[in-house]
Amino acid sequence: MGDVARECTNVRPDGSFTLKVGAEGRVLLGSAGSAGRYDVSVRFVVKDGERVVLSRVQRQSVQVPAGTAQGSFTMVEQGIQVPPGLKDIEIEVGFGAGGQPARRRTARR
């Protein structure tokens, strides 16, 4: 997992807002790997303390061209509605359907 970025928009008087989270990363081949198409699953989680506000998984195919050992991907999760009353949310972005996130970001309005 490489860079992770977030953008907060449409902040309303009640404190709710819309969140967009983007992540970029690479698929790296090991010594037995070969060129081809590989599926990547990335989980986006928004938390308020220990409470999960939202959890979404995006799946994307990544092409590793012949003669190279890596392929890149970019994913953007849009339209995340954050309810009012949350001030310090935590955004977790990681591979797969579970496990520890690869990157964390704390969003403060």
Side-chain angles (χ1 to χ4, degrees):
M1 189 68 64
D3 288 332
V4 175
R6 56 104 173 105
E7 178 181 314
C8 302
T9 59
N10 299 325
V11 178
R12 296 177 221 20
D14 67 358
S16 62
F17 59 95
T18 303
L19 182 63
K20 177 168 63 171
V21 180
E24 63 180 26
R26 286 183 285 173
V27 172
L28 301 173
L29 298 180
S31 59
S34 61
R37 192 175 79 183
Y38 294 87
D39 289 332
V40 176
S41 293
V42 174
R43 176 172 292 281
F44 297 86
V45 179
V46 177
K47 296 172 83 177
D48 177 30
E50 293 300 313
R51 183 173 71 99
V52 174
V53 176
L54 171 119
S55 179
R56 293 184 187 166
V57 175
Q58 265 195 43
R59 209 170 144 90
Q60 181 176 336
S61 291
V62 180
Q63 186 68 34
V64 177
T68 66
Q70 66 183 3
S72 298
F73 67 89
T74 301
M75 292 186 185
V76 177
E77 186 64 42
Q78 299 185 55
I80 300 169
Q81 298 299 314
V82 177
L86 307 181
K87 294 194 190 253
D88 293 323
I89 63 170
E90 185 174 68
I91 302 164
E92 299 177 351
V93 180
F95 289 110
Q100 292 291 354
R103 301 288 293 242
R104 288 184 183 204
R105 186 108 193 206
T106 301
R108 290 184 174 85
R109 294 180 288 121

